[in-house]
Amino acid sequence: MNFYSIDFETASYAKHSACSVALVKVENNKIVDEYYSLIKPETDFFWKNIQVHGIKPEDVADAPKFPEVWKQIQGCFKANSLVVAHNAPFDCGVLAGCLDYYGIDQPNYLSLCTVKTSRKLFPEMPNHKLNTVCENLNIQLNNHHDALEDSRACAEILLYQEKHFGVEPLKKLVTIK
């Protein structure tokens, strides 16, 4: 399988409030590259978000704004690229919100949500949160809500699913963005 897994952390509930992003590149079923950046959002931070991920306004004071980060990652979002996230509606929504906020054209790409794949393939799990799925599949997740850790874990979940169930049940859940 070839895909990118993505994870955003946000400063608030605003869809354009990304304060960090990570992408993990998978080629031929192996993680071959990783990208991580803090992002300086043009929103205030909400205390509950800080509580979740630990990123504070002072941490992003010198970070690039989203358009600078987009220049580095936009090549991952091509029409034939598969972009995977654990709770893809959230992460794809943050991407779309940031692009809209800055007046940047929306890319077309393929999307797959490992929450959905996990619900389908592991209905017996008590829930399908990232940490629960990782624990049940013995996938390492040391620092949940660190974008790079979460992105790596998402990639490992999809690789596990492909190895044990093949690509056919996964293909049925791919959507076009």
Side-chain angles (χ1 to χ4, degrees), residues 1-174:
M1 285 187 92
N2 299 319
F3 62 90
Y4 296 93
S5 62
I6 190 169
D7 187 74
F8 280 101
E9 298 300 331
T10 56
S12 69
Y13 295 117
K15 286 291 185 190
H16 67 279
S17 72
C19 61
S20 73
V21 64
L23 281 155
V24 170
K25 183 179 183 180
V26 174
E27 284 183 355
N28 300 317
N29 295 339
K30 295 204 180 338
I31 293 174
V32 296
D33 200 8
E34 298 178 338
Y35 172 86
Y36 174 82
S37 181
L38 289 171
I39 301 170
K40 184 176 183 177
E42 293 191 47
T43 62
D44 291 330
F45 276 74
F46 185 54
W47 67 269
K48 280 191 175 185
N49 292 57
I50 295 171
Q51 207 171 40
V52 168
H53 53 59
I55 301 170
K56 301 178 183 111
E58 56 268 25
D59 298 328
V60 300
D62 297 322
K65 291 186 178 178
F66 181 80
E68 296 169 61
V69 172
W70 180 244
K71 288 177 187 173
Q72 298 175 48
I73 65 172
Q74 66 184 359
C76 303
F77 298 88
K78 298 176 186 163
N80 61 345
S81 294
L82 177 60
V83 178
V84 180
H86 201 78
N87 192 10
F90 172 80
D91 294 289
C92 294
V94 172
L95 176 62
C98 289
L99 293 167
D100 280 345
Y101 182 81
Y102 289 102
I104 302 169
D105 290 340
Q106 296 286 335
N108 293 313
Y109 59 95
L110 302 173
S111 176
L112 183 61
C113 178
T114 54
V115 171
K116 286 184 182 175
T117 61
S118 295
R119 284 182 183 142
K120 178 146 181 81
L121 300 173
F122 309 116
E124 72 286 353
M125 286 186 186
N127 64 60
H128 297 89
K129 295 177 183 176
L130 184 64
N131 57 330
T132 304
V133 175
C134 287
E135 185 178 318
N136 279 271
L137 302 181
N138 293 315
I139 293 171
Q140 189 172 343
L141 179 64
N142 294 327
N143 190 11
H144 189 22
H145 295 296
D146 171 273
L148 187 54
E149 285 275 331
D150 289 0
S151 190
R152 255 190 233 124
C154 175
E156 294 290 349
I157 289 169
L158 190 59
L159 290 170
Y160 180 100
Q161 292 171 342
E162 188 273 336
K163 180 178 179 182
H164 290 84
F165 299 95
V167 295
E168 289 309 312
L170 302 172
K171 283 182 180 178
K172 295 174 184 173
L173 299 172
V174 171

